[in-house]
Amino acid sequence: MIVATLRRLALAFALVGAAAALAAALLTVTSVVLRALTTRPIQGDVELTQFAIAFAISLTVPWCQWRGANIIVDFFTQRLRAARVRQLDAVGALLIAVMFALLSWRSGVGAVAVYQAGETSMIRSLPMWWVYASLSPGLALAALIALLQAGLLFQGQSLKRLQDATP
Amino acid sequence: MTPTGIGLSMFTGMLVLMALRVPIAAAMFIPGALGYWAMTSEPALLNQLKGSAVARLTVYDLSVIPLFLLMGQFATQGGLSKALFKAAAAFVGHIRGGLAMASVLSAGAFGAVCGSSVATSATITQVAYPEMKAHGYHGRLSTAALAAGGTLGILIPPSVPLVVYAILTEQNIAKLFAAAMLPGLLAMFGYLVVIAIYCRVRPDLAQPSAPLPWAARWRALVGIWPIVLIFVLVFGGIYSGLFSPTEGSAVGAVATLVAGLAQRELDLQGLKRSFLGTAETSAMVFLIFLGADMMNASLALTAMPAALAEWVGHLHVPPLAIVTSILIFYVLLGCVMDELSMLLLTIPVIFPAVMSLDLWGLAAEPKAIWFGILVLMTVGIGLIAPPVGLNVYVVNNIARDVPMSETYKGVFPFLAWDALRVALLLAFPMLSLGLVQLLYK
């Protein structure tokens, strides 16, 4: 139940994230065309792209974690038994959960601080706290997924079946 | 503890965690954060972390990474690789080893719209391996040519590792792409020669087949116009000054999407697969960035990188010998580490040291560009060299009937050319800088 929900959320986040990146690409292309034809590009296209891509990437992190796509060095542990490897991977999942949780929490705190300071973007004067806040959900979901994986691995379960399920 | 003591503990902690299968991002982030705490204070660390994700993810130049990845995914799912291989095979397929040459040629062409070697190897292997198998090619030659050809994905621009290098060293991405062009083409044509010699020495590895009539060849060539158009659009736009590399990557992603849709190759499922493929790799790349940022912020506090640069600058060793040792170090490191983590971890430390050397009397910018291409080519070696060549894994994962040991045997002649090419570029910086000077007079 929890497993299925987290998976569906990660999948949805990833699709929305990639769609946001594509939207940023379309915006940029429109701006380039307008600039060439009318010398009047979209105002602040650069900052809009920056924010959209940052948001997009934060949303793709849970799916990457779900799929186990993070790069690891497996050279020195090739001879270990499968059970021992799972214990190591559980520790790895726990450590990356700490990283995600820290970044999610601190980006949220950053959002509050930036909101109080009333900081806005240079060209379109967009409220900057949105940018900070937009990164929190993806990183938080990734932390939850990594915690779940650590739990399963500590119980000696393999993640292979979960990860390979076709989207 | 002294700053140096803290720095060394962080570094050791990171290496131990990496060796124990901890994801590289976390293996850099956690010791980095602890080191930062030790160097400053808990509030200072928490304060640093408030902005670190935003600071990294909103870098405009880095937007090219997800956008080029999206472009590569659209090209993969849009069936562009099929047309490329068909066209290349139509022209050279009848020569002995010709299908292996066609694999290299199509990988090179695909590399011109894709910035990742893994994606290039996987895509080309899917279309070319079954063909070579059907024509009785030995698994050793076919898989080795595919693994080596796959490195053209990063050697020929666009190139994700080169973008990462550009960001880390604050160099111009467009100039680095230009500098990679000629060495990339040299790599591709050299691989063709390697295949020809290999098949001369071991004629049993591949059988020649009947040549196609010229009419069929031209027809196959016409099929690759979308790729040619996209390449001209993206790079023509960048070098004519019409748009920046980031804008170019957006144009490329949209154009490739349109090409895939127009050819009716890209359906809703393909679109979904492109999105998920982009998601996985983008997150993977940026997580390594976030981990390396934390590590590098702490290392900078310990002043170790500056001390190292100072020390290297005062060594009484010929500068070229130092660069050569660095490149050999990269080859060794590439045996156990992936290319992006390697760059993110070492470039902030090594780059200042290299810049302090007098190399062929080059000015700062050409020196930085030249060194970037050298590092890129060395990284390419790590992708196919035993014991862990990422491309070899990718190819063998698809060509499951060929043992990995066969591929590693087959890869050696290609590695010999790689090593020779690095030596050539070390001796003749103009191989990479010539085109940059021509374009930016």
Side-chain angles (χ1 to χ4, degrees), chain A residues 53-73:
Chain A
I53 294 283
F55 177 56
I57 290 163
S58 75
L59 288 185
T60 61
V61 175
W63 183 246
C64 174
Q65 183 60 34
W66 184 273
R67 295 276 296 157
N70 285 312
I71 296 199
I72 59 159
V73 177

Side-chain angles (χ1 to χ4, degrees), chain B residues 3-83:
Chain B
T4 314
I6 294 175
L8 287 176
S9 324
M10 279 189 322
F11 217 71
T12 319
M14 175 192 76
L15 292 178
V16 170
L17 289 180
M18 275 184 191
L20 295 177
R21 291 176 62 96
V22 172
I24 287 190
M28 294 191 283
F29 186 89
I30 302 287
L34 291 174
Y36 200 93
W37 187 0
M39 289 294 295
T40 56
S41 62
E42 190 187 321
L45 170 67
L46 291 180
N47 197 40
Q48 159 87 4
L49 286 173
K50 262 196 310 209
S52 56
V54 169
R56 176 48 73 195
L57 301 188
T58 56
V59 173
Y60 182 64
D61 280 350
L62 275 181
S63 306
V64 302
I65 293 181
L67 294 179
F68 273 137
L69 287 172
L70 202 55
M71 174 171 163
Q73 284 288 335
F74 288 150
T76 304
Q77 302 292 340
L80 294 186
S81 50
K82 243 183 288 173

Side-chain angles (χ1 to χ4, degrees), chain A residues 91-107:
Chain A
V91 175
L94 212 53
L95 287 178
I96 207 162
V98 171
M99 172 178 171
F100 292 149
L102 265 176
L103 288 173
S104 173
W105 168 46
R106 295 319 292 173
S107 294

Side-chain angles (χ1 to χ4, degrees), chain B residues 71-381:
Chain B
M71 174 171 163
Q73 284 288 335
F74 288 150
T76 304
Q77 302 292 340
L80 294 186
S81 50
K82 243 183 288 173
L84 282 176
F85 181 71
K86 223 171 118 186
F91 280 86
V92 297
H94 59 281
I95 308 171
R96 191 178 285 277
L99 290 179
M101 295 178 184
S103 311
V104 166
L105 284 170
S106 45
F110 196 78
V113 293
C114 177
S116 134
S117 63
V118 169
T120 305
S121 316
T123 313
I124 301 297
T125 304
Q126 267 153 9
V127 293
Y129 180 70
E131 273 310 289
M132 285 195 271
K133 197 178 165 192
H135 282 82
Y137 276 54
H138 195 291
R140 183 183 296 184
L141 173 69
S142 55
T143 55
L146 285 165
T151 63
L152 297 171
I154 58 164
L155 295 179
I156 292 182
S159 161
V160 171
L162 210 50
V163 172
V164 171
Y165 178 86
I167 304 280
L168 290 173
T169 60
E170 297 175 350
Q171 294 300 314
N172 181 320
I173 294 177
K175 285 186 184 174
L176 274 162
F177 279 176
M181 196 66 86
L182 192 58
L185 289 175
L186 209 59
M188 180 170 83
F189 288 112
Y191 288 155
L192 299 183
V193 176
V194 168
I195 293 170
I197 297 175
Y198 207 176
C199 291
R200 178 71 56 96
V201 179
R202 292 277 312 267
D204 57 307
L205 291 180
Q207 312 306 325
S209 47
L212 281 182
W214 280 95
R217 294 185 192 187
W218 295 125
R219 226 174 311 129
L221 192 63
V222 172
I224 69 168
W225 69 266
I227 291 247
V228 177
L229 187 68
I230 293 164
F231 182 78
V232 170
L233 197 64
V234 172
F235 288 94
I238 291 176
Y239 292 114
S240 64
L242 205 58
F243 40 73
S244 70
T246 307
E247 290 166 343
S249 66
V251 170
V254 173
T256 315
L257 173 66
V258 171
L261 291 174
Q263 304 226 34
R264 296 175 183 281
E265 287 272 1
L266 199 63
D267 53 8
L268 206 59
Q269 276 306 313
L271 202 61
K272 193 174 169 189
R273 274 197 296 271
S274 314
F275 275 12
L276 292 179
T278 307
E280 228 174 79
T281 319
S282 306
M284 181 268 276
V285 171
F286 277 87
L287 286 177
I288 297 177
F289 254 110
L290 288 171
D293 281 347
M294 190 71 249
M295 182 50 95
N296 288 326
S298 313
L299 279 181
L301 286 180
T302 67
M304 275 168 62
L308 182 76
E310 168 94 14
W311 178 73
V312 171
H314 288 90
L315 278 181
H316 290 286
V317 180
L320 270 183
I322 297 178
V323 174
T324 310
S325 336
I326 291 174
L327 295 178
I328 292 172
F329 167 69
Y330 274 142
V331 172
L332 295 178
L333 202 59
C335 290
V336 293
M337 245 174 141
D338 77 287
E339 74 266 25
L340 290 181
S341 330
M342 209 162 93
L343 290 180
L344 282 162
L345 205 58
T346 60
I347 292 295
V349 182
I350 284 178
F351 183 73
V354 171
M355 292 307 281
S356 70
L357 300 172
D358 174 31
L359 296 158
W360 299 117
L362 290 173
E365 192 189 37
K367 187 163 37 176
I369 292 176
W370 173 62
F371 183 65
I373 306 302
L374 278 171
V375 170
L376 179 72
M377 291 190 348
T378 315
V379 158
I381 293 180

